[in-house]
Amino acid sequence: MKAIIPEHDDSFAGQAMLPPQSLKAQKGRGAVSNLQGRYEAHARAGFDDGWSVGGMDGAEGEAAAPGWKTQVTDEQARTILTRNASPDLPFNVSLNPYRGCEHGCIYCFARPTHSYLGLSPGLDFESRIYAKVNAPELLRRELAKPSYVSEPIALGVNTDAYQPCERERQLTRRVLEVLHECDHPVALITKSSLIERDIDILAPMAARRLAAVAITVTTLDPAIARTLEPRAAAPARRLRTIRTLTEAGIPVGVSIAPIIPFVTEPEIEQLLEAVRDAGAIHAHYVVLRLPWEVSPLFQQWLEAHFPERAQRVMNRVREMRGGKDYDSAFGARMRGEGVWADLIRQRFEKAVHRLGLHGKGGRFKQLDCTQFRRPLVVPPLGAKVKNGNAGQLDLF
């Protein structure tokens, strides 16, 4: 069908105008578009005008999708500890060594934070990562303040502290070294098996009630995981990580999050049985959250991977959110409201009690803050510290 062209404009006369091409998933990425952030002054939309690029066409004559290579940029942070007063969070202080996350989880509530950088919460969020290279030094200075009062630090809440670039940067490990030196309690949450690298630090801390870990498990289906969390550890690998940490004496809880109606929701009981068998001692859950740009990004993902059930999923999400895509009210944002939210709660609670994953306390309640001691070595502002030794200053 040809598009209707105004009569006074004959520059397109007789030309067939093609509709925009449907969004397609890219291998290894969660988002299917580079949706603009809400602070952008101008909106742009991709459009296939039918012209092919020589040497770049696919088998069907479509333009080849551009690659999104991960870029990690060093950043000198001004502060490193974030404080909150949210009544539905079990912690008051958190630390995030990175901005953006290569795991690419399509549901990540932190995606909109890239809008503050003038970047997209879509593909930019999972391919343009910022590493806070002075995080260990800033933490050391913070802990040395006379006014500092010890309380558990949640590590890796906004973005995963064990995402792939951590293998090279080792910022999370250096942060843990500072906390270990100061006998400061820490609670970590991750969906990466890389945390096993730091068992030599976490195990002795856990033995003194200074460390606890939560592993996020969303699905046991590797096919769903590959699109939902494309660069995170596979479900079976996460279960093995739970077992490895448990055998090392580190208490491991599990976050079943997010629960997505008709996608991961049918697995609730099966997931809980699997993590119990792997050695987890307690579990909690979060219903899918879709704040700001996460909502259109998630709906694009649904259309790309589950088009036959996309409308059903969103109808159920809105039913649990008072007719909206999201309700940010404390208390309701994590669990939702209504009949379906209540059914999920009942299923989860019954399974948790049946499997013995209840009544053992949250990971923050287990931690001891009384052992804290201030750091003996505090680098001057701007001093460089070698990766291998958090306490050794670089004179040059």
Side-chain angles (χ1 to χ4, degrees):
M1 179 182 295
K2 293 185 178 181
I4 299 176
I5 307 298
E7 293 182 0
H8 65 273
D9 184 357
D10 56 12
S11 60
F12 296 99
Q15 294 187 22
M17 303 298 290
L18 300 177
Q21 297 297 305
S22 59
L23 294 170
K24 294 183 179 180
Q26 297 190 41
K27 184 178 180 181
R29 296 298 180 190
V32 296
S33 78
N34 215 27
L35 181 79
Q36 285 183 258
R38 60 190 183 281
Y39 300 116
E40 295 296 317
H42 303 286
R44 306 172 185 85
F47 187 84
D48 185 354
D49 62 2
W51 290 85
S52 61
V53 180
M56 296 294 290
D57 294 348
E60 301 298 327
E62 298 175 345
W68 290 88
K69 186 177 180 180
T70 301
Q71 304 173 39
V72 181
T73 302
D74 289 351
E75 176 184 29
Q76 291 289 331
R78 290 181 293 180
T79 60
I80 198 59
L81 295 182
T82 301
R83 289 175 169 82
N84 75 84
S86 302
D88 55 357
L89 292 179
F91 59 89
N92 299 319
V93 184
S94 60
L95 188 156
N96 294 284
Y98 302 98
R99 293 206 280 182
C101 186
E102 195 177 355
H103 282 165
C105 307
I106 190 58
Y107 53 77
C108 182
F109 66 87
R111 282 183 176 274
T113 60
H114 251 43
S115 296
Y116 298 122
L117 306 177
L119 298 173
S120 170
L123 291 165
D124 280 348
F125 176 80
E126 51 195 275
S127 63
R128 299 183 67 173
I129 313 300
Y130 291 83
K132 301 175 186 178
V133 293
N134 59 338
E137 291 74 50
L138 286 176
L139 175 62
R140 186 178 289 274
R141 294 180 63 82
E142 188 73 25
L143 300 185
K145 292 180 179 178
S147 60
Y148 181 80
V149 177
S150 175
E151 58 182 311
I153 292 177
L155 183 54
V157 175
N158 213 39
T159 56
D160 203 309
Y162 285 101
Q163 59 181 290
C165 62
E166 167 63 16
R167 294 184 183 278
E168 176 184 351
R169 299 303 175 111
Q170 298 195 26
L171 291 176
T172 299
R173 182 172 178 86
R174 290 170 56 204
V175 164
L176 286 175
E177 288 172 345
V178 174
L179 295 173
H180 185 27
E181 175 191 333
C182 297
D183 292 333
H184 194 293
V186 62
L188 302 99
I189 184 167
T190 184
K191 51 175 69 78
S192 171
S193 60
L194 181 57
I195 192 173
E196 296 174 3
R197 177 200 65 188
D198 295 335
I199 286 178
D200 63 319
I201 298 176
L202 294 173
M205 291 185 73
R208 300 177 59 197
R209 294 176 56 212
L210 293 173
V213 172
I215 302 295
T216 300
V217 184
T218 312
T219 177
L220 295 176
D221 187 331
I224 293 178
R226 275 194 298 271
T227 63
L228 192 67
E229 310 156 326
R231 299 200 180 194
R237 186 66 181 89
R238 287 183 228 184
L239 293 177
R240 192 167 69 183
T241 296
I242 294 173
R243 187 173 295 106
T244 300
L245 294 174
T246 299
E247 291 173 350
I250 301 169
V252 181
V254 169
S255 174
I256 308 296
I259 293 179
I260 305 173
F262 306 122
V263 180
T264 65
E265 163 267 321
E267 300 180 64
I268 292 175
E269 292 80 4
Q270 185 181 3
L271 275 169
L272 288 170
E273 289 183 11
V275 301
R276 187 278 309 271
D277 293 344
I281 61 173
H282 61 88
H284 72 278
Y285 76 95
V286 178
V287 169
L288 178 67
R289 299 170 56 192
L290 298 176
W292 300 107
E293 294 93 340
V294 182
S295 180
L297 286 166
F298 179 77
Q299 292 184 62
Q300 290 174 355
W301 177 86
L302 277 177
E303 291 294 341
H305 297 285
F306 296 99
E308 76 288 349
R309 70 182 87 166
Q311 193 60 55
R312 283 183 72 204
V313 172
M314 290 308 302
N315 286 345
R316 197 64 69 210
V317 168
R318 291 169 184 140
E319 184 179 321
M320 292 190 289
R321 302 295 185 185
K324 301 179 293 184
D325 287 359
Y326 184 55
D327 179 5
S328 61
F330 291 136
R333 60 178 183 165
M334 302 293 186
R335 301 297 174 91
E337 296 180 319
V339 174
W340 246 77
D342 194 49
L343 286 173
I344 289 175
R345 178 188 60 79
Q346 290 185 46
R347 287 175 58 192
F348 190 90
E349 290 179 354
K350 288 180 182 297
V352 161
H353 278 74
R354 175 172 56 84
L355 297 169
L357 290 169
H358 67 290
K360 298 185 180 179
R363 55 200 173 111
F364 294 93
K365 295 179 181 179
Q366 304 168 14
L367 301 176
D368 181 9
C369 299
T370 64
Q371 303 177 54
F372 171 66
R373 50 183 179 153
R374 303 190 191 283
L376 298 176
V377 178
V378 182
L381 192 63
K384 293 182 179 180
V385 178
K386 296 179 180 179
N387 290 353
N389 189 334
Q392 177 65 49
L393 302 184
D394 188 346
L395 298 178
F396 305 100

